[in-house]
Amino acid sequence: MKIIYIGQYSEGTTSKMRADQIASIVPGSTFNVIDIHVPFYKSHRLFRSLGARYKIGPLLWNINSYINKHLTKDYDLIWVDKGVFISKNTLLNIRSKAKTLIHYTPDMAFYANKTSKFISNMDTYNYLVTTKSAELSMYEKVADANKIILVKQGYDLKVHKAYYSFEEKEDYISFIGLYEPSRGEIVQKIIDQNIHVKLAGNGWLNFVTKNKNNPYFTFVGNGLFSSEYSKFISKSIMSLGLLSKNFPEFHTTRTFEIPACNTALITEVNNETSSFYKTNEAIFYNDTNDLIEKIEYFIKNKQELKEITLNGNKKVISSGCDYKSILQNILVKASIIHN
């Protein structure tokens, strides 16, 4: 079987994790990659910013030219990961060379990352894989419902794992993610209670400046990747799985990555998070005051925290939330492989 993956393939990205798992799932296959990060980073910074934000400009021409140049054969499966830059003509070229064409995105397609290039061409794919239940009805307005596959976010078994035992953890709450006002408010309230928070992510500059002399706040950088990401989470006693308030989001990759790293997940309660974990497997909260109370309680009751930590880790490992299990199910539904 001949397979080609089109998407970001830089070390530490979840897209590369998915690509590598696809290669391992279909043994004996010929697996190739068209890494769109190559033309992305070769483009001028201004063009990258313009293209990433508005999906226009020379960046898109560079990416589409790169794809067409390297797509020279026919394939049994072409997997497009987050194809927001792909033009109609390029997609038709891809379609002509694919026996089966699958699009996967872990992101919102109709809120954040919205692009007419993808939405107007969705029905060109054989299958559309999304992790966002809030967008199912929107997908069904522009594509055949039989093409749509809803899956959970996931984690990588090799990367997201326990690097430290509970006894080796340090007394800080961790968070890795993009700044949003709601997230800033939550972190501020936690550190105002003299609880140490360490975080990494883009957009936190003003928050960092405001709290530069706060002994209960540590900023470790704009990003942590691969094992450094997992070690940072694994070393903390609890980790925030904060959801975006810019669009309707009910779980994220952190929902599974945190317990996989053997750390207690703190997450707001909703239909999705409560379907993944019981109350003895994750720390659920209803609002910020409830969140603070739960953190303070478990800081004082470490044995109960340890039980939740271990239970959450066992649950995420046994429940098929890893990328390999999720991608296998997708490929079975697409008749690429069989059970």
Side-chain angles (χ1 to χ4, degrees):
M1 180 174 289
K2 294 184 292 184
I3 302 172
I4 192 163
Y5 169 93
I6 301 174
Q8 301 170 2
Y9 198 68
S10 295
E11 195 64 43
T13 59
T14 59
S15 48
K16 183 179 186 300
M17 294 175 192
R18 289 188 290 273
D20 291 343
Q21 289 297 340
I22 293 169
S24 70
I25 289 169
V26 189
S29 62
T30 300
F31 186 82
N32 294 296
V33 172
I34 296 178
D35 180 8
I36 67 167
H37 262 171
V38 173
F40 183 89
Y41 286 114
K42 284 184 178 180
S43 299
H44 189 279
R45 179 182 294 181
L46 176 62
F47 298 152
R48 296 205 304 264
S49 178
L50 184 67
R53 180 170 296 185
Y54 301 109
K55 309 300 185 291
I56 58 174
L59 174 67
L60 274 68
W61 186 90
N62 292 340
I63 289 175
N64 282 275
S65 295
Y66 187 82
I67 292 171
N68 288 315
K69 177 182 177 181
H70 290 83
L71 194 66
T72 58
K73 301 176 182 178
D74 293 337
Y75 291 88
D76 297 294
L77 169 64
I78 297 182
W79 180 288
V80 176
D81 209 287
K82 298 193 284 189
V84 295
F85 299 117
I86 297 177
S87 69
K88 177 69 172 181
N89 288 337
T90 299
L91 185 58
L92 290 175
N93 183 35
I94 294 171
R95 169 72 275 187
S96 70
K97 290 179 169 56
K99 184 176 179 181
T100 301
L101 177 59
I102 296 177
H103 182 273
Y104 175 100
T105 179
D107 301 326
M108 286 285 182
F110 294 86
Y111 291 89
N113 304 294
K114 182 177 180 179
T115 168
S116 60
K117 287 181 175 59
F118 172 58
I119 294 173
S120 63
N121 299 320
M122 288 172 66
D123 211 37
T124 306
Y125 293 90
N126 293 107
Y127 296 96
L128 296 157
V129 186
T130 177
T131 65
K132 305 301 184 185
S133 60
E135 292 194 327
L136 277 179
S137 61
M138 301 174 194
Y139 271 84
E140 291 172 355
K141 289 179 180 178
V142 293
D144 184 342
N146 293 321
K147 293 184 173 187
I148 303 164
I149 302 174
L150 176 66
V151 300
K152 295 175 286 191
Q153 298 272 18
Y155 73 97
D156 192 300
L157 285 164
K158 294 181 180 179
V159 176
H160 306 114
K161 57 186 179 180
Y163 287 87
Y164 303 98
S165 68
F166 186 84
E167 289 70 25
E168 293 173 320
K169 292 179 178 295
E170 295 180 0
D171 284 333
Y172 68 86
I173 311 299
S174 62
F175 177 67
I176 301 176
L178 182 70
Y179 173 83
E180 289 183 11
S182 62
R183 294 172 176 177
E185 290 174 10
I186 288 174
V187 173
Q188 188 68 58
K189 288 185 178 181
I190 295 173
I191 63 179
D192 285 347
Q193 296 301 313
N194 297 340
I195 299 168
H196 195 174
V197 174
K198 292 186 180 182
L199 68 80
N202 289 315
W204 290 88
L205 179 60
N206 291 337
F207 187 93
V208 172
T209 301
K210 176 184 175 182
N211 290 282
K212 63 180 180 180
N213 296 320
N214 192 322
Y216 295 99
F217 175 71
T218 303
F219 182 67
V220 299
N222 290 330
L224 294 172
F225 303 97
S226 298
S227 62
E228 293 305 311
Y229 173 102
S230 300
K231 289 176 182 177
F232 177 73
I233 292 174
S234 186
K235 193 71 171 178
S236 61
I237 55 168
M238 291 174 263
S239 190
L240 297 164
L242 301 179
L243 304 177
S244 176
K245 299 306 173 187
N246 291 337
F247 43 81
E249 180 175 68
F250 303 110
H251 79 281
T252 73
T253 54
R254 288 182 292 271
T255 306
F256 304 110
E257 292 166 349
I258 292 168
C261 292
N262 197 38
T263 294
L265 166 68
I266 310 171
T267 185
E268 63 185 75
V269 63
N270 60 48
N271 289 338
E272 290 188 12
T273 56
S274 60
S275 72
F276 302 144
Y277 302 107
K278 298 177 182 177
T279 54
N280 67 341
E281 297 168 337
I283 301 169
F284 293 105
Y285 67 91
N286 295 298
D287 53 40
T288 306
N289 291 333
D290 187 34
L291 167 64
I292 299 296
E293 289 178 8
K294 295 282 177 62
I295 291 175
E296 290 178 331
Y297 175 84
F298 284 110
I299 286 175
K300 296 174 183 177
N301 295 273
K302 292 289 180 63
Q303 186 56 41
E304 288 187 50
L305 179 61
K306 181 178 180 179
E307 291 175 5
I308 288 177
T309 301
L310 297 179
N311 288 340
N313 181 253
K314 290 178 183 176
K315 181 59 172 288
V316 80
I317 291 173
S318 65
S319 59
C321 300
D322 60 282
Y323 284 134
K324 185 172 184 178
S325 297
I326 292 168
L327 295 171
Q328 277 181 328
N329 289 335
I330 294 170
L331 295 179
V332 167
K333 288 182 179 180
S335 300
I336 302 299
I337 60 174
H338 301 284
N339 280 324

